[in-house]
Amino acid sequence: MSKFTRPKIALVGGGNIGGVLSQLAALKELGDVVMFDIVEDLPQGKQLDIVEASRVDGFDVKLEGSNDYACLEGADVVIVTAGLPRKPGMSRDDLLTTNANIIKTVGENIGKYCPEAHVIVISNPLDAMVTLLQEVSGIPASRVYGQAGVLDSSRFATFIAWELGVSVKDVNAMVLGGHGDTMVPLVRYANVNGVPVMEQLEKKYGNAAKAKEVMDAMVERTKKAGGEVVALLKKGSAFYSPASSAIQMAEAVLRDQKRVLAVCAQLNGEYGVSGYYVGVPCVLGKDGIEKIIEVDLNDEEQGMFDVSVNSVKGLVEDLKRLSFLK
């Protein structure tokens, strides 16, 4: 970790997510925070605004903003949010090309200034962007991973808690696969402090068919949750929940918590997949992805997971076709 008293957290991207990331990292006193953005004075202004609340919020960490990639030097954790959202009239290739160009530059600079860092990628399309950044930066895959599963799992757990009228703190739910419409919420494993959710739904509604109908609706809402927020906001996309999810991952690394979290990780034979980044449960600690946990999937779950993996493979093939990946 850092040679400094406090760890150094670098944020690449000073947009809405970047601002919340900085504030949360400061509130938790995870380390000193530097924010990079290409927009002149934007990161400096956001960091100044946050740090001026340090007396009110009671945190003692340094916050700085910069327009120079050199600010990343020596970072222990880098969280990448850089990239553009898809705009009307923009094709999938247009979005992929635009963000791949951005992530390529980001990855090169991370590799140059902080090759020992852990890198958490939030930029979309996630599975493709984390794949590209890892290859370009040259940082081992155990220290380059994506944030999506933590957020998707939290959304799934939230909907379950609302439906059952229980505290979300007691709901355990996990979502696997790629970050998109093919993600796989694991219904069979969802529970409230060990009691299966489906069992509770069947008792609530009196029959299995209705319980399945309600669960199917929650699964579908989980898959479309990001789009639901976008539709309500009219401009922009979710930023509070993605930032909170990435901070949970950063905290697990910086404080060596050994948390079991759904992480977009590079698989090397696990789940029958090799060489692709896919969301799976991992043990996250000071060494990054310290273990990938293989969950036993039934035929239906495996089928959905395979579809999701094929979607990720399609994105990776697109990056190769566009000459971003070897």
Side-chain angles (χ1 to χ4, degrees), residues 34 50 59 92 100 105 112 158 161 216 242 251 291 294 324:
V34 60
I50 295 168
F59 61 82
R92 173 170 145 165
T105 301
K112 176 181 179 180
T158 299
D216 287 347
E251 185 175 14
K291 181 181 180 181
E294 292 194 73
F324 285 104

Side-chain angles (χ1 to χ4, degrees), residues 131 134 265-270 273-278 312 316 320:
T131 301
Q134 191 277 324
Q266 188 182 88
L267 300 184
N268 294 290
E270 299 89 355
V273 179
S274 292
Y276 291 94
Y277 271 91
V278 185
V312 172
V316 172
K320 290 180 180 178

Side-chain angles (χ1 to χ4, degrees), residues 118-162:
H118 292 258
V119 186
I120 301 170
V121 181
I122 303 180
S123 308
N124 282 315
L126 178 77
D127 309 281
M129 294 303 100
V130 68
T131 301
L132 177 59
L133 192 145
Q134 191 277 324
E135 181 174 298
V136 170
S137 69
I139 296 174
S142 62
R143 288 192 279 112
V144 180
Y145 30 89
Q147 189 294 113
V150 174
L151 171 56
D152 295 330
S153 299
S154 179
R155 286 167 166 166
F156 189 29
T158 299
F159 302 147
I160 289 170
W162 289 348

Side-chain angles (χ1 to χ4, degrees), residues 131-282:
T131 301
L132 177 59
L133 192 145
Q134 191 277 324
E135 181 174 298
V136 170
S137 69
I139 296 174
S142 62
R143 288 192 279 112
V144 180
Y145 30 89
Q147 189 294 113
V150 174
L151 171 56
D152 295 330
S153 299
S154 179
R155 286 167 166 166
F156 189 29
T158 299
F159 302 147
I160 289 170
W162 289 348
E163 173 61 34
L164 293 176
V166 299
S167 170
V168 72
K169 295 177 183 178
D170 296 323
V171 179
N172 301 300
M174 186 166 288
V175 177
L176 307 187
H179 184 51
D181 293 347
T182 61
M183 67 179 71
V184 186
L186 287 182
V187 172
R188 191 162 56 96
Y189 286 96
N191 68 83
V192 179
N193 274 356
V195 182
V197 169
M198 287 306 298
E199 180 181 308
Q200 295 176 73
L201 286 174
E202 288 177 21
K203 289 181 178 178
K204 177 178 178 178
Y205 289 103
N207 66 82
K210 178 62 177 177
K212 183 179 183 304
E213 178 186 328
V214 171
M215 175 54 79
D216 287 347
M218 288 192 287
V219 166
E220 191 63 21
R221 189 176 183 185
T222 300
K223 292 180 178 182
K224 306 289 186 181
E228 183 179 1
V229 174
V230 169
L232 290 168
L233 290 177
K234 304 298 190 294
K235 287 182 64 177
S237 56
F239 53 96
Y240 290 112
S241 50
S244 291
S245 301
I247 288 296
Q248 184 179 63
M249 295 170 69
E251 185 175 14
V253 170
L254 291 168
R255 294 180 173 163
D256 194 23
Q257 293 176 330
K258 313 294 188 190
R259 293 293 307 274
V260 177
L261 301 171
V263 177
C264 182
Q266 188 182 88
L267 300 184
N268 294 290
E270 299 89 355
Y271 294 91
V273 179
S274 292
Y276 291 94
Y277 271 91
V278 185
V280 292
C282 299

Side-chain angles (χ1 to χ4, degrees), residues 106-117:
V106 171
E108 289 169 348
N109 280 284
I110 291 173
K112 176 181 179 180
Y113 289 109
C114 49
E116 300 302 315

